[in-house]
Amino acid sequence: MKNRGTYLTKTVFSVIFIAITLVVWQIVALIVNDDFAVPSLLSVGADMLKIFYVPSFSIAYFSTLLRAFIGFALSFITGVLLAVVAKKFAFIKGLCVPLVSVIRLIPTMAIASLLCITLSPSVASVAVCFTVVMPYVYSSAQAMLESVGDELLEMAKVYGVPHGRVLSGIYLPTVKKPLVELLGTAFSFALKITVSSEVVTGALKSMGGLINTAQNVYLSPSLVVAVTVWVVVTGLFAELITHLVATLLDKRRRA
Amino acid sequence: MKRLAVFLSIIICLILSVGCTGANSPSSLTLVCPDGAPAISAYALKDTKVNVTVYPSASATASIQKDIRNKSADVAILPVNLASKLCASGADYKMIGVLTHGNLYGVGKNVLDENGLKGKTVGVIQLNAVPGYTVKLMLEKMGLQYVENKEEKNADNVYLYQIPADATAVKTALDTSKADVCIVAQPMCDRLISAFSLIKSIDVQSLYGYFPQAVAVVKTSVLENRKSEVNEMIASLSGCDYTALNATELVNWINLHVADGEVSSLAPQALTVSALEGSNIRFSPAQNEKSAVLNYLTQLKRFDTELGTVAIAVGDTFFWSGV
């Protein structure tokens, strides 16, 4: 009952936040009264619907989604594996600290500009996504693994509990929910980075390419915002799905 | 109290004097243009009172668009399709002339044989903008089919793909045979040829025909009320021999005028006589260019999509008849 109340409160707050954002946006648009500076909700909404039925938008949307998914999958697998190995071997953990720090510190746009010299814009976008998202996944996964109680692990070692049982009985219950939630946040992060790098690398059949063309050729800020809102909605949808799955897992565990 | 009054008076006098002698005094016209060939064309105004601002290529479209919509620029040099979209009615701005007349060239490692571009892979800067559209028009005129999906490439068509406007990227694409030819703009074309021993294999202007690339538009109120300054500006633009410029002085001058303290992408060593000749910069009055502009805009409109328009059809009011 308490949980249901919490979810209801969260939903209500989310709806209030979205409503406030939309109202503030429309008020600013009315004050500025220039669709080129701040596009109105109406023109953005109209463009969102208009592009939904345009085949070139579908191609761009799914191409970006595919790049983001490849970048996300590579980042997730590498990041989690690296965190597991780092947990097991202190030597690897020591090596990972400077490696991940350096990757995290390299300016994203510099990587994008460098990679698009030798790679195609599509591959460069995926590579940029990997360099940004992988350190994030690694850090999050490492924090999750660190949260597993040392006493329990020590006890399992003393009693000679097999590795499989340690994994399913100690690690999995602790990291299951945050790991599922990390899937959503990492994917929406990957999507954001992929679109940004598409803008820089000049990938044509992509959401980033659409943003470039809308901005520099069609001179349509409302189309730029419409494409951006579709990206945001997709990211939020991914986060919502994984949040629901995580909640279900949590409920099942409590039951 | 008296001291305070004197002190405040001095401050006010200082502010007023700075305001009156500043570069943005109301007597000077303001001109905005993108970096590259348009910035070179603006160099003709170095001895006039025109206050020039050069925008870096990446932000030029947005910045010039803003200046024209706010009517904060008296003069703007911009691509012809952008001018058609921003000043189609001719109510606020009119086109006074064409300044750059096409500067797209293909560079490669080998001379093209009699089959020319058939079956070749061509890298193009800004494939989804005016350079790309012009290359597509050129191929259509040559009777060649083009594709943009690698999977559809075959021996009878031309595969087009986008390359970054970056010398290293072009060199890498040619070295790795990713592209047979790369279409770039001057002065980058001559820079690539001299630095990497490449060959100029395509002249888009020769194969497609003449096209107006960048035009100058002037605020209608300025055309009506400040005729002597406009005439002086046009005289400077018309009288300049752009092939005889001192490259170092030119780049130094452009660097002084780039917005936000940035520097130009142009390098003196790239601005050889050949590069400046190939840039096709010269002032040609609006009335002489009317049919060429109308024809080119009509051709560009073929690339309009359901998502937006590339160019807008303009009427007589778009062209200024006073020159």
Side-chain angles (χ1 to χ4, degrees):
Chain A
M1 194 66 192
K2 193 186 168 190
N3 275 341
R4 189 179 290 174
T6 313
Y7 298 135
L8 194 69
T9 313
K10 275 184 180 175
T11 312
V12 168
F13 275 129
S14 301
V15 171
I16 290 172
F17 171 76
I18 292 168
I20 289 173
T21 309
L22 294 178
V23 168
V24 170
W25 178 354
Q26 187 56 28
I27 288 171
V28 174
L30 285 171
I31 292 169
V32 175
N33 196 25
D34 180 358
D35 241 22
F36 285 87
V38 184
S40 69
L41 274 180
L42 197 68
S43 54
V44 171
D47 273 352
M48 280 184 74
L49 287 177
K50 185 179 85 177
I51 60 177
F52 191 74
Y53 297 101
V54 176
S56 56
F57 173 75
S58 312
I59 295 169
Y61 180 79
F62 287 110
S63 301
T64 296
L65 222 54
L66 181 68
R67 286 185 200 111
F69 183 77
I70 294 170
F72 154 77
L74 289 173
S75 305
F76 201 85
I77 292 166
T78 315
V80 171
L81 276 180
L82 217 55
V84 170
V85 176
K87 170 84 179 171
K88 188 91 179 155
F89 305 103
F91 168 70
I92 302 288
K93 189 179 177 180
L95 280 178
C96 283
V97 172
L99 175 77
V100 171
S101 293
V102 168
I103 296 175
R104 206 190 337 238
L105 285 170
I106 299 172
T108 314
M109 295 306 124
I111 302 175
S113 302
L114 281 172
L115 288 178
C116 71
I117 290 173
T118 44
L119 302 174
S120 71
S122 287
V123 181
S125 302
V126 173
V128 171
C129 175
F130 176 79
T131 57
V132 176
V133 180
M134 193 278 283
Y136 167 71
V137 172
Y138 169 76
S139 304
S140 304
Q142 203 188 23
M144 273 178 227
L145 293 174
E146 293 298 333
S147 68
V148 176
D150 283 340
E151 295 86 2
L152 277 175
L153 292 172
E154 195 64 36
M155 202 162 68
K157 202 174 175 183
V158 168
Y159 287 102
V161 180
H163 287 305
R165 288 289 303 277
V166 173
L167 194 70
S168 62
I170 300 176
Y171 277 106
L172 216 55
T174 315
V175 302
K176 200 162 55 181
K177 191 188 173 203
L179 198 67
V180 172
E181 285 195 335
L182 180 63
L183 280 169
T185 49
F187 179 74
S188 57
F189 189 35
L191 187 62
K192 171 187 150 159
I193 298 299
T194 305
V195 173
S196 306
S197 55
E198 284 169 347
V199 171
V200 177
T201 57
L204 291 181
K205 284 167 193 158
S206 67
M207 298 294 261
L210 262 185
I211 289 172
N212 259 337
T213 312
Q215 172 85 10
N216 296 315
V217 181
Y218 302 149
L219 308 185
S220 174
S222 62
L223 186 58
V224 174
V225 180
V227 174
T228 310
V229 173
W230 274 119
V231 174
V232 173
V233 168
T234 309
L236 283 176
F237 182 71
E239 286 196 26
L240 182 73
I241 294 290
T242 49
H243 180 72
L244 287 175
V245 172
T247 309
L248 275 173
L249 288 172
D250 197 38
K251 264 186 179 175
R252 193 177 289 175
R253 190 174 67 93
R254 282 166 197 267
Chain B
M1 192 66 186
K2 199 176 172 183
R3 280 183 184 172
L4 182 68
V6 170
F7 178 72
L8 285 173
S9 304
I10 291 169
I11 297 286
I12 290 167
C13 287
L14 277 171
I15 292 168
L16 287 175
S17 63
V18 168
C20 292
T21 56
N24 289 318
S25 63
S27 61
S28 60
L29 292 176
T30 54
L31 180 147
V32 294
C33 65
D35 195 11
I40 298 174
S41 72
Y43 182 67
L45 305 172
K46 71 180 168 64
D47 296 325
T48 65
K49 283 181 185 172
V50 179
N51 181 27
V52 177
T53 302
V54 176
Y55 290 119
S57 303
S59 61
T61 306
S63 302
I64 293 172
Q65 185 186 352
K66 192 183 82 188
D67 288 343
I68 288 184
R69 289 196 190 283
N70 296 341
K71 300 185 185 74
S72 57
D74 295 315
V75 188
I77 301 171
L78 67 173
V80 65
N81 68 313
L82 201 59
S84 79
K85 293 199 72 164
L86 294 171
C87 324
S89 69
D92 297 319
Y93 287 85
K94 286 185 190 296
M95 184 193 130
I96 60 160
V98 177
L99 275 162
T100 67
H101 302 254
N103 59 4
L104 298 173
Y105 299 89
V107 290
K109 292 202 145 193
N110 305 304
V111 180
L112 292 175
D113 59 15
E114 65 273 13
N115 286 322
L117 288 165
K118 202 180 269 187
K120 298 281 191 294
T121 299
V122 180
V124 185
I125 53 157
Q126 299 178 49
L127 189 58
N128 261 8
V130 168
Y133 299 141
T134 311
V135 170
K136 289 172 188 173
L137 290 171
M138 176 195 81
L139 293 172
E140 281 177 15
K141 195 177 176 186
M142 293 166 75
L144 292 170
Q145 277 195 326
Y146 61 83
V147 293
E148 292 176 60
N149 286 330
K150 205 173 183 179
E151 296 76 30
E152 294 170 15
K153 182 189 166 189
N154 62 40
D156 293 321
N157 60 27
V158 181
Y159 167 54
L160 300 177
Y161 80 100
Q162 173 152 292
I163 48 160
D166 176 279
T168 320
V170 173
K171 184 186 179 292
T172 308
L174 294 169
D175 282 349
T176 56
S177 299
K178 204 171 150 190
D180 299 301
V181 183
C182 289
I183 308 280
V184 297
Q186 282 286 24
M188 191 208 258
C189 170
D190 269 48
R191 181 74 184 133
L192 283 164
I193 290 169
S194 60
F196 305 124
S197 306
L198 298 172
I199 293 163
K200 191 189 280 181
S201 46
I202 297 171
D203 180 345
V204 175
Q205 293 65 228
S206 301
L207 294 169
Y208 170 63
Y210 162 75
F211 64 95
Q213 200 162 351
V215 300
V217 295
V218 179
K219 209 189 266 181
T220 312
S221 59
V222 170
L223 290 169
E224 286 165 358
N225 305 320
R226 299 168 77 172
K227 283 179 185 168
S228 61
E229 288 166 78
V230 173
N231 288 338
E232 187 194 353
M233 184 178 72
I234 290 173
S236 300
L237 291 170
S238 308
C240 183
D241 179 3
Y242 288 101
T243 58
L245 300 178
N246 178 313
T248 309
E249 279 178 24
L250 169 65
V251 174
N252 287 343
W253 181 85
I254 294 173
N255 281 338
L256 283 176
H257 293 84
V258 181
D260 303 326
E262 297 283 333
V263 289
S264 170
S265 61
L266 298 167
Q269 58 270 35
L271 298 170
T272 57
V273 174
S274 159
L276 289 168
E277 273 174 3
S279 296
N280 283 329
I281 305 170
R282 63 179 186 282
F283 180 80
S284 182
Q287 290 304 314
N288 297 358
E289 298 288 336
K290 201 170 169 179
S291 61
V293 168
L294 291 174
N295 176 49
Y296 189 54
L297 290 177
T298 309
Q299 296 292 322
L300 287 180
K301 277 199 69 59
R302 292 167 51 197
F303 298 101
D304 287 356
T305 66
E306 291 157 295
L307 296 173
T309 56
V310 174
I312 285 180
V314 295
D316 284 346
T317 49
F318 175 72
F319 303 94
W320 189 49
S321 54
V323 59

